[in-house]
Amino acid sequence: MSPKPDVASTQWAENYSEYAAWLQRGSACRANAFTVQAGTGVPEFAVQECREGLRRLCADEGAGADNTPLCLRLNMALPPEGYRLKSDTGRCVTLEGADANGLLYGIYAFLLRLAAGANLEQLDEASAPAARYRVVNHWDRVDGVVERGYAGKSIFFRENTLVYEPKRIRDYARLLASVGINGISINNMNVTLESARLISDEQLPLVAKLAGIFRDFGIRVALAVGFESPAVLGGLCMEKPLDASIADWWAQRANAIYSHIPDFLGFVVKADSEFQSGPSAMGISQAEGANLLARALAPHGGLVFWRCFIYDCLQDWRDTQTDRPMAAYDLFKSLDGQFEPNVILQIKNGPSDFQVREPNSPLFGAMPGTSQGLELQITQEYTGQQIDLYGLAVHWEEVLAAPGHAPGQLRNLIGGAIQAVSAISNVGDDENWTGHTLAQANLFAFGRLAWNPALTANEIVREWAALSFGGAGGVAEEVAEMVLASRAVYEKYTTPMSLCWMVNINHHYGPSPEGYEFMKWGTYHRANWEAIGVDRSSRGTGYASQYAPQLAGVYDDIRTCPQEFLLYFHRVAYSHVLPDGRTLLQTMYDSHFEGVQAVEGFITAWEGLKPRLPVSVYASVHARLLRQLDNAREWRDVVNTYFYRKTGIADRQGRKIYP
Ligand code: GCV
């Protein structure tokens, strides 16, 4: 029998909106017990934000009726952007921030504790961010299409113009700030003639207006720019990119930008990559190219986020010597120490391209004289496109626990070698921001992890679920279970053991085992009748040796290589026996059957929640789960058949594999 909704959960359902995400209205009526008192220097915006938050939590009813003081104070002794919350046995709560951002983060932390039903009597916590720069990158094209976007159109652009709903941007900024994000780049790194114009005199006032909205929330705006801008916008000849005329052009642009946007964060640059021009194409090094822009921004306190996603995208599949994952390390490692201090090398977590599983890039921690940034992808390009449920908190927890260049956890480099954590946004103009409502968990998780990489996925996802679904009588726990399980499930029915690039070409959803096999992108698994995978050990391409010797040795040996990375580092026979006694082939078969069963389990679980959920969110997630099941079945059947046809070996359990 399905549980009957109680009165509280009925009220919750009336207030619930997918748009509010983790900042639901009416989730803590206790909020009306506080009266905000501001100390010297506390910005008016923080006070307003605090009052508005309290009103939101009581759904506007009787806010401020009682009078436990909530004292906001600046305390410069706290670390930058840090905050402290302390309750004096229920008589008052003191909320201190190191600066304007710290105060805001403290306010949001307090409101979120309140919403989650925390015991405020014992409130005593202090926190400060691990990464100095916590940035979302939008891949929004100025024509309004979001590249790799699965949640509608851009919230910033339409028809080559910056147009937006200010209220929506404010609400977005609040969501971002509430999880500690302090930077945003608004346009796609694949820069076009139209988007290059965002730094023109005509368009800067528009960008400045938008930046003003984000500024209130402590978020600095950045722009993606093309390396060729001096030619494209300024008509300069770039044959000699180090010519003073080019540096002058950038300096003059930087002056113009900062006259409109005094706290402009900086430039994000995709150079020499996937048909974007760059320094290598013009005969100078990546460091010389990055420094050109960095020197223009330095006097204003701006940064250059210089991406390391550079590889030969015109490779011949017959060429077995070139190994795409090696490209970034080969190009950048030797340039260590040559970059200006305001350049941050932005490195994708894995050396391929946001695959379901990859080892961490060997560049992390390999350049002690250079600031680095970790780039993650929230938008689910290869991970189900916000149709399939995919809890990125679990994925990123694994990334952060794995090593970079040398043994040790990547998370320990954040705040040291890694100064910035950036991620590609999953947001569009869909009412619920992220297409799949449960994908809101991924945006939340990104902010939380960039702030504190030591948090576990379990803590983050449960917190998010309690804030989003806490009023719905037991729903939060079940939703959290689904989200936490979902990354492993997706991996099972798609490409386990780091078997990359089996997706359909171009759009990257659904299976196509040889879709990328004979293309120019350097994306090969080279399956034949007896084995699959690229040998990246010392006997093969040598990729494993880009890691420090102790780690390289672990990856190099098929007996010590972690099973989840097996097909990344080794070419493995289907008959190879894994530690649990099953062959590689049988493990592949099992994995695909199990993955589909787990999706069926998600659907049953979700259907069980129906009486306790508002109709809209129940229906929208249910519809996506059904599509996920279709996708999972397609993956299972296509991949299993592919291997069956290659090997002629049947499933040991005799399950259905199409001949
Ligand atoms: C912005 C992959 C994606 C592209 C993306 C690119 C990048 O290749 O498919 O859409 O382009 O990564 O990160 O630059």
Side-chain angles (χ1 to χ4, degrees):
M1 207 174 79
S2 31
K4 276 222 172 84
D6 61 23
V7 179
S9 62
T10 317
Q11 230 162 38
W12 170 83
E14 274 166 23
N15 283 325
Y16 177 84
S17 92
E18 290 173 273
Y19 181 84
W22 54 87
L23 300 178
Q24 292 294 323
R25 287 182 72 232
S27 41
C29 297
R30 291 185 296 160
N32 68 5
F34 294 95
T35 308
V36 180
Q37 293 178 2
T40 323
V42 169
E44 185 48 34
F45 182 76
V47 178
Q48 276 171 32
E49 211 33 34
C50 191
R51 292 208 171 107
E52 189 171 326
L54 292 171
R55 272 198 299 276
R56 185 177 61 242
L57 289 182
C58 346
D60 293 331
E61 284 163 32
D66 202 344
N67 53 11
T68 303
L70 177 59
C71 304
L72 310 186
R73 283 200 205 125
L74 282 170
N75 176 355
M76 286 166 199
L78 294 171
E81 297 189 284
Y83 66 82
R84 185 156 73 191
L85 308 177
K86 180 124 180 59
S87 136
D88 180 4
T89 51
R91 280 200 297 275
C92 79
V93 174
T94 308
L95 197 164
E96 294 178 331
D99 42 35
N101 276 24
L103 266 171
L104 276 180
Y105 301 140
I107 289 165
Y108 296 128
F110 175 74
L111 294 169
L112 294 180
R113 301 291 169 276
L114 206 56
N119 181 355
L120 298 181
E121 301 267 304
Q122 280 156 28
L123 199 59
D124 186 5
E125 68 174 76
S127 189
R132 178 157 178 207
Y133 304 104
R134 307 171 299 280
V135 186
V136 286
N137 294 154
H138 277 252
W139 282 355
D140 296 21
R141 289 178 3 195
V142 290
D143 64 4
V145 172
V146 181
E147 182 161 339
R148 312 303 179 190
Y150 313 105
K153 293 255 189 173
S154 169
I155 57 172
F156 300 124
F157 300 103
R158 277 282 179 286
E159 295 170 11
N160 297 334
T161 319
L162 187 54
V163 274
Y164 50 86
E165 276 176 55
K167 178 180 175 323
R168 182 147 196 161
I169 302 301
R170 254 194 313 281
D171 291 338
Y172 182 41
R174 180 176 295 116
L175 281 174
L176 296 181
S178 73
V179 289
I181 288 163
N182 66 358
I184 185 167
S185 64
I186 58 170
N187 62 314
N188 191 354
M189 300 153 185
N190 289 326
V191 176
T192 59
L193 176 59
E194 288 75 25
S195 64
R197 292 202 182 104
L198 286 166
I199 55 168
S200 67
D201 287 338
E202 295 71 44
Q203 300 210 17
L204 277 173
L206 301 177
V207 182
K209 221 167 167 189
L210 179 73
I213 301 180
F214 282 110
R215 180 176 304 118
D216 283 342
F217 291 89
I219 299 171
R220 294 168 70 189
V221 164
L223 289 172
V225 296
F227 189 72
E228 253 183 341
S229 297
V232 171
L233 296 176
L236 298 183
C237 166
M238 288 199 67
E239 241 169 55
K240 291 187 183 149
L242 295 179
D243 201 275
S245 61
I246 307 292
D248 288 348
W249 187 89
W250 281 113
Q252 182 266 327
R253 268 309 85 204
N255 292 343
I257 292 169
Y258 282 90
S259 72
H260 289 279
I261 311 168
D263 60 348
F264 182 68
L265 178 59
F267 294 145
V268 182
V269 192
K270 171 174 179 175
D272 287 311
S273 170
E274 298 183 337
F275 312 110
Q276 293 283 307
S277 76
S280 297
M282 296 180 195
I284 60 171
S285 77
Q286 294 295 310
E288 288 170 312
N291 291 345
L292 187 61
L293 278 65
R295 289 186 190 121
L297 296 179
H300 309 278
L303 300 170
V304 173
F305 296 88
W306 190 263
R307 296 182 81 225
C308 297
F309 182 60
I310 302 181
Y311 64 97
D312 178 6
C313 63
L314 293 172
Q315 191 180 328
D316 187 330
W317 61 268
R318 298 168 190 86
D319 165 9
T320 53
Q321 303 308 305
T322 309
D323 190 16
R324 170 172 163 172
M326 299 176 76
Y329 186 93
D330 283 345
L331 189 58
F332 283 94
K333 163 75 179 147
S334 60
L335 299 176
D336 186 26
Q338 295 183 27
F339 292 89
E340 291 288 336
N342 60 330
V343 174
I344 294 183
L345 291 187
Q346 185 162 316
I347 307 163
K348 289 190 183 191
N349 59 280
S352 288
D353 185 9
F354 300 133
Q355 298 296 288
V356 173
R357 197 181 288 270
E358 304 173 46
N360 288 335
S361 167
L363 267 178
F364 291 118
M367 301 179 69
T370 308
S371 289
Q372 299 190 324
L374 164 64
E375 182 181 296
L376 302 168
Q377 192 183 43
I378 323 178
T379 195
Q380 292 172 230
E381 177 178 357
Y382 292 98
T383 54
Q385 306 202 347
Q386 282 136 254
I387 297 166
D388 298 28
L389 182 62
Y390 193 95
L392 279 159
V394 176
H395 182 138
W396 295 330
E397 181 181 40
E398 290 162 357
V399 165
L400 292 168
H405 180 68
Q409 302 195 337
L410 191 70
R411 58 165 63 92
N412 297 332
L413 298 182
I414 295 178
I418 298 178
Q419 287 291 307
V421 184
S422 302
I424 317 309
S425 167
N426 62 349
V427 159
D429 72 352
D430 277 3
E431 176 63 14
N432 67 355
W433 304 95
T434 53
H436 198 312
T437 299
L438 305 190
Q440 292 172 351
N442 295 334
L443 184 59
F444 182 89
F446 166 65
R448 278 281 183 265
L449 282 172
W451 180 281
N452 180 3
L455 288 173
T456 64
N458 196 42
E459 287 168 315
I460 295 169
V461 171
R462 286 188 195 285
E463 184 192 4
W464 163 81
L467 293 167
S468 307
F469 297 103
V475 167
E477 292 74 10
E478 291 193 49
V479 171
E481 295 297 339
M482 284 171 64
V483 172
L484 286 165
S486 60
R487 182 268 204 276
V489 168
Y490 187 87
E491 183 177 37
K492 270 176 182 274
Y493 66 76
T494 57
T495 45
M497 293 173 278
S498 302
L499 172 55
C500 300
W501 306 112
M502 278 206 169
V503 288
N504 277 306
I505 61 163
N506 301 330
H507 61 76
H508 301 166
Y509 187 75
S512 178
E514 295 197 340
Y516 274 102
E517 201 50 29
F518 302 100
M519 296 197 75
K520 295 181 186 290
W521 301 92
T523 46
Y524 318 114
H525 53 67
R526 304 195 191 274
N528 68 8
W529 60 276
E530 70 173 348
I532 185 165
V534 174
D535 182 356
R536 297 196 165 102
S537 73
S538 49
R539 296 156 302 281
T541 68
Y543 164 72
S545 65
Q546 290 188 339
Y547 294 88
Q550 203 188 337
L551 188 55
V554 172
Y555 289 147
D556 203 67
D557 186 337
I558 197 167
R559 291 164 307 179
T560 52
C561 180
Q563 187 167 316
E564 66 269 22
F565 298 137
L566 192 62
L567 297 175
Y568 207 89
F569 286 97
H570 297 278
R571 179 161 183 80
V572 185
Y574 301 115
S575 58
H576 176 78
V577 179
L578 297 171
D580 69 0
R582 291 180 299 165
T583 60
L584 176 74
L585 181 70
Q586 189 58 40
T587 307
M588 277 289 171
Y589 287 155
D590 289 348
S591 175
H592 285 84
F593 286 115
E594 286 162 13
V596 173
Q597 273 172 6
V599 177
E600 287 162 354
F602 287 160
I603 293 174
T604 310
W606 190 253
E607 287 175 349
L609 300 178
K610 187 174 184 183
R612 287 173 279 164
L613 282 169
V615 175
S616 61
V617 67
Y618 172 77
S620 75
V621 172
H622 191 245
R624 279 180 157 77
L625 286 170
L626 295 179
R627 289 172 71 191
Q628 177 172 3
L629 182 58
D630 282 347
N631 188 38
R633 286 179 174 150
E634 188 69 3
W635 270 100
R636 176 196 63 194
D637 293 339
V638 169
V639 174
N640 283 350
T641 292
Y642 179 73
F643 287 123
Y644 177 65
R645 287 184 184 168
K646 288 266 177 213
T647 63
I649 301 171
D651 170 41
R652 284 209 181 130
Q653 295 188 41
R655 290 162 292 193
K656 177 78 184 169
I657 294 183
Y658 294 83

